[in-house]
């Protein structure tokens, strides 16, 4: 999936401007609305996505395999054992403030857990859940 124009603009200015989780969710929502007019991010769908067992990887079947059932708690990578800071912005203020870093981690983690890229709608819902829905 191509990086949406709104995210490219955010990433281009990231060196001088930090995004907020809400701005990133809105950028993904704008992209999702192009495919599904009227799309609105949903914290409920984001929570369901976070907890869903995709089972593409035996060691990383869901987001919770590394990030725990509570995204305000620190996690641990299921394969490497590396410590992971909390995923929720209210517990880790730097989360979802750098568009390029956000996209990098979505690409990596979606590939490992889902076996594919996450859609713009999934990303918008996921950030909405983590930023507002806990």
């Amino acid at each position: 999936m191509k990086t949406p124009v709104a995210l490219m603009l955010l990433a281009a200015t990231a060196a001088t401007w930090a995004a907020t989780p809400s701005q990133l969710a809105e950028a993904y929502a704008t992209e999702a609305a192009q495919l599904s007019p009227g799309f609105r991010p949903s914290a409920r769908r984001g929570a369901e996505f976070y907890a869903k067992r995709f089972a593409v990887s035996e060691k990383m079947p869901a987001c919770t395999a590394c990030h725990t059932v509570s995204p305000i708690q620190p996690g641990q990578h299921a394969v490497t054992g590396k410590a992971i800071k909390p995923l929720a912005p209210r517990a880790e203020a730097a989360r979802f403030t750098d568009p390029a870093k956000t996209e990098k981690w979505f690409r990596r983690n979606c590939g490992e857990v889902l076996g594919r890229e996450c859609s713009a709608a999934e990303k918008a819902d996921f950030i909405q859940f983590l930023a507002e829905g806990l």
Side-chain angles (χ1 to χ4, degrees):
M1 181 175 293
K2 295 179 182 174
T3 302
V5 172
L7 279 179
M8 289 189 314
L9 291 174
L10 287 175
T13 60
T16 58
W17 179 79
T20 65
S22 294
Q23 289 167 323
L24 289 178
E26 188 57 38
Y28 286 121
T30 298
E31 181 184 3
Q34 292 174 355
L35 298 173
S36 181
F39 173 83
R40 289 295 209 217
S42 163
R44 179 191 53 77
R45 284 192 312 261
E48 291 169 357
F49 180 83
Y50 181 74
K52 184 175 179 178
R53 186 173 174 81
F54 293 93
V56 170
S57 166
E58 196 173 297
K59 292 185 179 188
M60 290 184 281
C63 302
T64 57
C66 296
H67 294 287
T68 79
V69 295
S70 175
I72 61 171
Q73 299 298 318
Q76 184 177 25
H77 194 277
V79 175
T80 67
K82 182 180 175 184
I84 301 172
K85 292 180 182 179
L87 193 54
R90 75 176 189 192
E92 179 60 35
R95 290 287 189 199
F96 307 107
T97 59
D98 180 331
K101 193 179 219 182
T102 297
E103 190 58 27
K104 168 191 161 186
W105 285 107
F106 269 131
R107 191 172 29 262
R108 183 176 295 174
N109 292 336
C110 293
E112 289 177 342
V113 176
L114 281 68
R116 61 171 174 81
E117 286 191 40
C118 289
S119 70
E122 289 167 332
K123 293 173 188 178
D125 289 343
F126 187 78
I127 294 173
Q128 188 79 20
F129 159 64
L130 293 171
E132 301 174 14
L134 295 174

